[in-house]
Amino acid sequence: MSITAHLRDSARLPGDAPVHTHAVDKRGNGSRRVLVRREHRVDVHDVDEFFAGTLAPRATFPVPWPGWDHGADALSPDASFMVFSGQRAVTAVGADGERLWEYRHSCWGPVGGHTHTGDEQQVCRGFESGSCHVSDDGRHVWAHVVRGGHDVDWDDWHECWVVLDARDGRELARMRLDSAAGGSHQLAHPDGIHVGLCIGMGQDGVLLHWARLDGDTLTGWDLNDDMDRILMDVQAGHHGFLTVEENGADLRLHALDGTVLAEADPEPNDDESPSWWDHTCGFVDTDTVIATTIDADDDADRPARHWLLDARTLTLRGPVTYPTGPVTAYVHPLGDGTWLTYDGASRTFDRWSETPS
């Protein structure tokens, strides 16, 4: 039986500057923000204020390297600074546009022995990149970076996970990683202690690490016996986290140690042809997960579908239908009983819920 979504709010992004990317930042303290990348800047909108009619961004941060559009950046909890994951450095930028500090690392560029001119706007070849996360207390920056290579020694090229002091970028701890990333992203556990790092390696699979900072040591473990699980979301109620198999074969709920608590296979299409879970899902609230299936045969005439599932058992409750017609955009669950979708053509965000407001 299908579940009808209710349109709670709708708002259009101001201005005519093209939107390159958008992301949702949600915190355990209840703050929810939309980060919109527009050419050389990132606009930060508070979700509740945005839908209440305050369309001007709460904060705007200039991008340190306008030519670099890879890497996963991170906003501080109070929106007073933003940390950018660059090709050769991690840089913190204040709300006034001032560069607060810079942590230099080796170049993510894959070409051995290439030179750098010293021009900080130079962007080297390659899309390989890292990611950043700012802790919920605003004290630490977790960064996935690369070391060695042409900057030091190609025989000692390696990736690592570092924790930096958010005040000055000073390195506090480091963990060496056995990975060769195409890209990565990070999610904080709601306990305020643990952070998850998911590293995509293209055809070589996916790595998933968890760690905590113990003084000047990173204590971590991984789920890499099964190398193909993408970290999707973490739940604040019973502290489980969601993963999707890289190719979309199944969706799983895990305890923090990786124990599988529940699993869901994608429903076949109406004509019984196969479908896959897409790489978008998360917790609508403590009781509900929303996820997306796509056609396994890439049939463009069969659009993606959104599904609601029980958050503890991953039992499929039913597909979502929208009163405005089919909605195939990525979903951004907010954890408060609502989720967002974005229409790029109209630059409009819609906020949905299972129940009327």
Side-chain angles (χ1 to χ4, degrees), residues 7 13-14 17 29 76 138 160 180 184 225 270 294 323 325 328 341 357:
L7 181 61
L13 288 171
N29 61 10
S76 68
C160 54
S184 69
D225 289 339
D270 294 336
I294 55 175
T328 62
T341 58
S357 58

Side-chain angles (χ1 to χ4, degrees), residues 238-310:
H238 46 81
H239 292 185
F241 66 88
L242 290 172
T243 66
V244 172
E245 195 272 336
E246 182 184 18
N247 295 317
D250 60 61
L251 171 67
R252 289 181 184 174
L253 175 68
H254 304 257
L256 182 57
D257 64 2
T259 301
V260 178
L261 304 175
E263 182 175 330
D265 296 327
E267 281 285 289
N269 293 300
D270 294 336
D271 60 1
E272 300 303 315
S273 62
S275 63
W276 303 110
W277 292 116
D278 200 2
H279 298 161
T280 172
C281 66
F283 293 96
V284 176
D285 53 31
T286 56
D287 299 317
T288 307
V289 165
I290 191 167
T292 306
T293 56
I294 55 175
D295 182 66
D297 298 323
D298 294 325
D299 186 347
D301 294 330
R302 187 179 284 121
R305 293 192 293 175
H306 300 161
W307 297 79
L308 294 185
L309 302 86
D310 183 278

